[in-house]
């Protein structure tokens, strides 16, 4: 593997893995709804600037006019809903658990693909789903008293993170249908712009006066999430995919839950329990088995993901 491709993959995984802890820190001061909106605004503006710099702004505008309904759908589901569920969820749970649970989205993609795309449910996929589900349960419940866990804020946060994983899976399925008629850059940019519009009402009614007094350090976090964790990773992942098969590149995504746990422990002093480790291993193993021998979905910004994983 060429060193530039390897570097792009490692940087992408590192940026996505660290974003959970960075969101956690940012939420100490920034409202989760405002963070969702402003991150989408910054990411959309950054990618729109790239389009304009390439002299394709008119082409992009025409593309949005023709496909605005599809773009509105992916923006609402994959950006607005996803970021709100993720941000509110992380505010109630640890960044490490968020990193593990959010990366269960390939398992939900398998289920949704079977229902809506009529894709075959193979033995590998069934086994992978079983292992992944067991891992999720171990991570969420962690061997404690069930009644106390269900009443805890951490449980609420974990459920919201799982909802964000489901919304990303839906986003991925819709993307598979839309991407054939447009380009990844156009689709990603339009998704963020529509996502910003849909995120705006909650951001405006939640705590706008407080949002206007955000400190410089928190604005730095917001800029990082919008430009680096959302915009830059799109190009790093796209570059890697242009040099490497998607199936090989996607193997690096298995590092994200592990790295997110390490980052949370190192920088936020989050505890690493045996249940977190065991559940994470089962989730990673389940995803690997479920995707083994299956061509992964094309996801334009992998975002985060951020990748099959967003962040």
């Amino acid at each position: 593997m060429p060193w530039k491709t390897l570097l792009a993959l490692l940087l992408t995984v590192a940026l996505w893995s660290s974003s959970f802890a960075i969101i956690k820190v940012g939420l100490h001061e920034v409202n989760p709804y405002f963070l969702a909106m402003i991150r989408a605004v910054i990411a959309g503006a950054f990618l729109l600037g790239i389009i304009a710099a390439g002299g394709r702004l008119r082409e992009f505008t025409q593309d949005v006019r023709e496909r605005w309904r599809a773009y509105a759908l992916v923006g609402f589901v994959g950006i607005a809903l996803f970021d709100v569920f993720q941000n509110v969820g992380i505010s109630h749970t640890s960044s490490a658990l968020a990193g593990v649970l959010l990366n269960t989205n390939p398992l939900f993609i398998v289920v949704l693909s079977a229902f809506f795309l009529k894709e075959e449910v193979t033995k590998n996929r069934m086994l992978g789903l079983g292992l992944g589900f067991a891992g999720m349960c171990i991570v969420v419940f962690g061997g404690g008293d069930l009644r106390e866990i269900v009443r805890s804020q951490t449980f609420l946060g974990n459920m919201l993170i799982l909802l964000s994983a489901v919304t990303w899976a839906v986003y991925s399925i819709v993307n598979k249908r839309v991407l054939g008629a447009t380009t990844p850059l156009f689709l990603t940019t339009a998704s963020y712009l529509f996502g910003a519009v849909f995120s705006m009402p909650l951001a405006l009614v939640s705590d706008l006066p407080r949002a206007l007094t955000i400190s410089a350090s928190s604005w730095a976090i917001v800029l990082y999430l919008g430009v680096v964790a959302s915009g830059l990773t799109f190009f790093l992942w796209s570059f890697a995919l242009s040099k490497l098969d998607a199936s090989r590149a996607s193997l690096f995504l298995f590092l994200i839950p592990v790295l997110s746990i390490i980052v949370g422990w190192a920088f936020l002093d989050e505890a690493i329990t045996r249940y977190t480790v065991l559940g994470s291993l089962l989730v990673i193993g389940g995803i690997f088995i479920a995707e083994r021998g299956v061509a992964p979905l094309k996801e334009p910004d992998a975002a985060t993901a951020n990748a099959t994983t967003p962040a």
Side-chain angles (χ1 to χ4, degrees):
M1 181 186 301
W3 72 268
K4 289 183 179 180
T5 305
L6 178 61
L7 180 61
L9 287 169
L10 292 177
L11 278 175
T12 301
V13 169
L15 292 173
W16 283 337
S17 302
S18 65
S19 66
F20 302 105
I22 292 173
I23 291 173
K24 184 75 173 180
V25 174
L27 288 171
H28 290 162
E29 184 177 359
V30 184
N31 183 284
Y33 307 108
F34 181 78
L35 178 59
M37 181 197 72
I38 199 65
R39 179 179 181 179
V41 169
I42 293 172
F46 175 79
L47 294 173
L48 190 62
I50 298 298
I51 291 174
R56 305 181 66 188
L57 189 57
R58 180 175 296 179
E59 181 185 351
F60 172 73
T61 303
Q62 181 61 36
D63 185 66
V64 172
R65 287 175 179 172
E66 294 177 358
R67 277 175 276 276
W68 68 270
R69 291 180 180 83
Y71 288 153
L73 176 61
V74 295
F76 176 69
V77 175
I79 304 299
L81 282 184
F82 169 80
D83 276 339
V84 166
F85 286 146
Q86 176 184 239
N87 292 347
V88 178
I90 289 178
S91 70
H92 291 293
T93 190
S94 69
S95 66
L97 291 181
V100 174
L101 295 175
L102 187 56
N103 283 279
T104 60
N105 72 84
L107 301 176
F108 293 112
I109 290 175
V110 169
V111 174
L112 293 176
S113 296
F115 277 101
F116 295 104
L117 301 181
K118 307 303 179 183
E119 293 186 0
E120 181 184 1
V121 180
T122 63
K123 292 181 179 179
N124 277 350
R125 287 184 165 187
M126 289 297 295
L127 177 59
L129 285 172
L131 288 175
F133 180 76
M136 280 190 286
C137 291
I138 291 173
V139 169
V140 171
F141 297 109
D145 182 84
L146 181 59
R147 289 173 295 180
E148 292 183 5
I149 290 173
V150 171
R151 289 196 296 263
S152 70
Q153 290 297 307
T154 299
F155 179 78
L156 172 63
N158 290 339
M159 291 299 99
L160 289 171
I161 294 298
L162 285 174
L163 274 177
S164 68
V166 172
T167 59
W168 189 261
V170 174
Y171 174 70
S172 302
I173 296 297
V174 177
N175 272 1
K176 189 174 184 180
R177 292 185 176 275
V178 177
L179 190 57
T182 185
T183 68
L185 178 57
F186 284 7
L187 176 56
T188 306
T189 305
S191 297
Y192 274 116
L193 293 177
F194 276 102
V197 172
F198 287 120
S199 301
M200 199 169 295
L202 272 178
L204 293 178
V205 302
S206 57
D207 196 3
L208 186 59
R210 181 186 173 194
L212 298 176
T213 61
I214 294 174
S215 66
S217 60
S218 292
W219 273 114
I221 288 175
V222 171
L223 287 171
Y224 173 87
L225 291 173
V227 175
V228 179
S230 299
L232 179 60
T233 52
F234 165 80
F235 290 101
L236 290 173
W237 184 252
S238 296
F239 171 78
L241 289 181
S242 70
K243 305 295 183 181
L244 197 66
D245 291 341
S247 57
R248 291 184 63 192
S250 65
L251 293 177
F252 283 79
L253 301 179
F254 295 113
L255 295 173
I256 294 177
V258 177
L259 291 178
S260 65
I261 292 173
I262 295 173
V263 171
W265 168 76
F267 295 98
L268 300 181
D269 199 28
E270 295 177 347
I272 301 177
T273 69
R274 62 181 182 274
Y275 297 107
T276 303
V277 174
L278 176 59
S280 301
L281 291 175
L282 288 175
V283 167
I284 293 170
I287 294 171
F288 177 78
I289 292 172
E291 293 192 331
R292 188 177 179 182
V294 179
L297 292 172
K298 293 182 178 180
E299 297 184 21
D301 57 354
T304 59
N306 240 182
T308 51
T309 306

